């Protein structure tokens, strides 16, 4: 682009200052949002289990009764069965768990058991990037409040 004089230079300098200011403002607003997500996996799990008590671990849960699952990054898979949360901390591969994963489970019956493995599929690329070998399922139920 051919410059026609000092007016063009002034315009370029002003535009650069405006863009730099906008960039700095956007960065300042982005920092608090990312800082809030810096909880450890254990802190995230503890928050999910607040007001619940652990029961006796079990080897299997009914897949038909499980209404949802939630991944705690690098830590565990939480299955909801009615009002009970079953926490499974895999025996192997837990460090590869990511909340954007799709869980693909191959079972040999109607139950999900501690001997089963779960493939981890990347939600965006649709490629398998790992798997976990499940551990025991620890049930967490809400604390009954005394009247």
């Amino acid at each position: 682009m051919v410059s026609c004089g000092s007016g063009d230079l002034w315009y370029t300098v002003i535009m650069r200052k405006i863009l730099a200011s906008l960039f700095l403002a956007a960065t300042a607003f982005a920092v608090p949002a990312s800082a809030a997500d810096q909880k450890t996996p254990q802190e995230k799990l503890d928050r999910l289990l607040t007001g619940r008590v652990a029961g006796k671990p079990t080897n299997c849960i009914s897949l038909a009764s499980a209404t949802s699952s939630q991944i705690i990054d690098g830590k565990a898979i939480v299955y909801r069965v009615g009002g009970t949360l079953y926490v499974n901390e895999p025996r192997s591969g837990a460090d590869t768990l990511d909340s954007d994963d799709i869980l693909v489970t191959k079972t040999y019956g109607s139950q999900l058991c501690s001997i089963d493995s779960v493939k981890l599929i990347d939600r965006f690329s649709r490629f398998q990037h790992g798997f976990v070998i499940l551990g025991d399922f620890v049930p967490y139920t809400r604390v009954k409040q005394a009247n």
Side-chain angles (χ1 to χ4, degrees):
M1 181 168 161
V2 177
S3 177
C4 296
S6 64
D8 289 336
L9 180 59
W10 179 82
Y11 178 78
T12 302
V13 170
I14 295 298
M15 288 307 292
R16 285 186 181 167
K17 286 184 179 182
I18 290 172
L19 289 174
S21 297
L22 289 173
F23 177 75
L24 288 173
T27 304
F29 286 114
V31 169
S34 63
D37 293 336
Q38 297 301 320
K39 292 186 173 135
T40 68
Q42 187 62 52
E43 289 172 334
K44 290 177 183 177
L45 183 59
D46 290 345
R47 182 169 185 219
L48 182 66
L49 299 175
T50 298
R52 295 177 178 270
V53 293
K56 181 181 176 187
T58 184
N59 288 325
C60 301
I61 61 171
S62 170
L63 272 178
S65 300
T67 57
S68 67
S69 61
Q70 178 179 348
I71 296 172
I72 306 298
D73 292 351
K75 178 75 174 165
I77 305 170
V78 181
Y79 296 92
R80 182 177 297 277
V81 178
T84 303
L85 298 180
Y86 285 88
V87 176
N88 189 291
E89 293 190 37
R91 291 180 285 153
S92 177
D95 57 323
T96 62
L97 286 170
D98 185 302
S99 57
D100 283 329
D101 288 340
I102 298 171
L103 303 174
V104 178
T105 308
K106 182 177 181 180
T107 60
Y108 300 96
S110 62
Q111 294 190 320
L112 183 61
C113 296
S114 59
I115 61 169
D116 293 326
S117 64
V118 178
K119 292 179 184 179
L120 306 174
I121 308 296
D122 182 81
R123 183 173 307 279
F124 303 106
S125 70
R126 301 288 196 235
F127 288 110
Q128 179 178 341
H129 73 86
F131 70 95
V132 296
I133 298 173
L134 297 175
D136 286 337
F137 296 86
V138 179
Y140 285 83
T141 54
R142 291 207 181 274
V143 175
K144 294 184 174 143
Q145 298 187 8
N147 290 335

